[in-house]
Amino acid sequence: MGVIFSPILNFHPHIEAMYCKGLQTLGIVLRLCKKFKISASLKAICCSLVRPLLEYASVLWDPCTAVDSSLIEYIQKLFLNASSFILNIDHPRLPTSYA
């Protein structure tokens, strides 16, 4: 099924693997889309490539800890910061610490 869990039936290893894969994919998307000037296309690419990685099997691991949910939120904040920079949108910077 592709879900990783520890011997104590904790889904933290799965969430860490999703986090790493999501960061890699987000980095590729942002490098390839740095010349985009239409927000809808940038959002569509991110929602079709990065978001499914973060939401895979979320029905199983949904009641996760605050640390695990902050890892996923970190990737979303990175996308928001980078997309606002690419599209020249003024906004207050979101804190991007995940711990």
Side-chain angles (χ1 to χ4, degrees), residues 46-59:
C46 190
C47 286
S48 64
L49 295 176
V50 179
R51 197 165 158 192
L53 295 174
L54 300 178
E55 294 178 351
Y56 180 71
S58 63
V59 173

Side-chain angles (χ1 to χ4, degrees), residues 42 79-91 93:
L42 188 62
F79 171 72
L80 289 175
N81 280 336
S83 62
S84 64
F85 177 75
I86 290 170
L87 299 171
N88 293 324
I89 299 171
D90 291 330
H91 74 288
R93 295 287 175 205

